[in-house]
Amino acid sequence: MCTYVTENVPVSGSAKGPEGWFSVSRATVYFDHPFHAALEHSLNIDFAGPTDPTAATASIAATASTRRVAVELSAASARALAEAILATLDTGEASVGGAAARS
């Protein structure tokens, strides 16, 4: 059964794809059937950059011109990753004097 549980989050950062590094401006997080992972359901994250402004304005062309990196994780892996991210942020920010790096 498809869940269609989806969250879209604006982000600021970079990702590395087959053509090298690119800026990312949004993350789409969803729980659904994976495309590749051998799981019944997975937590999927798509990190995407801005659409190439030189691409044609048709929606299909605009979608095709968006750079993205995707991951499919088991629920246990996703929870462990979320905990590791939060722990690393807490420790890292504390070591540089607080939440000054939050931007």
Side-chain angles (χ1 to χ4, degrees), residues 16-62:
K16 189 172 184 183
E19 297 176 6
W21 286 96
F22 61 96
S23 297
V24 292
S25 58
R26 71 180 186 278
T28 302
V29 181
Y30 54 102
F31 186 78
D32 215 330
H33 298 290
F35 288 93
H36 188 266
L39 300 165
E40 180 77 21
H41 287 89
S42 60
L43 187 283
N44 308 305
I45 307 170
D46 289 334
F47 294 99
T51 301
D52 182 352
T54 63
T57 57
S59 61
I60 294 173

Side-chain angles (χ1 to χ4, degrees), residues 1-98:
M1 169 184 274
C2 294
T3 67
Y4 303 109
V5 175
T6 303
E7 296 286 335
N8 290 294
V9 182
V11 298
S12 176
S14 297
K16 189 172 184 183
E19 297 176 6
W21 286 96
F22 61 96
S23 297
V24 292
S25 58
R26 71 180 186 278
T28 302
V29 181
Y30 54 102
F31 186 78
D32 215 330
H33 298 290
F35 288 93
H36 188 266
L39 300 165
E40 180 77 21
H41 287 89
S42 60
L43 187 283
N44 308 305
I45 307 170
D46 289 334
F47 294 99
T51 301
D52 182 352
T54 63
T57 57
S59 61
I60 294 173
T63 300
S65 67
T66 301
R67 290 178 155 187
R68 63 186 278 271
V69 173
V71 296
E72 299 174 336
L73 303 170
S74 69
S77 295
R79 290 179 193 284
L81 177 60
E83 290 173 7
I85 289 170
L86 293 174
T88 302
L89 281 171
D90 289 346
T91 303
E93 287 178 338
S95 72
V96 296

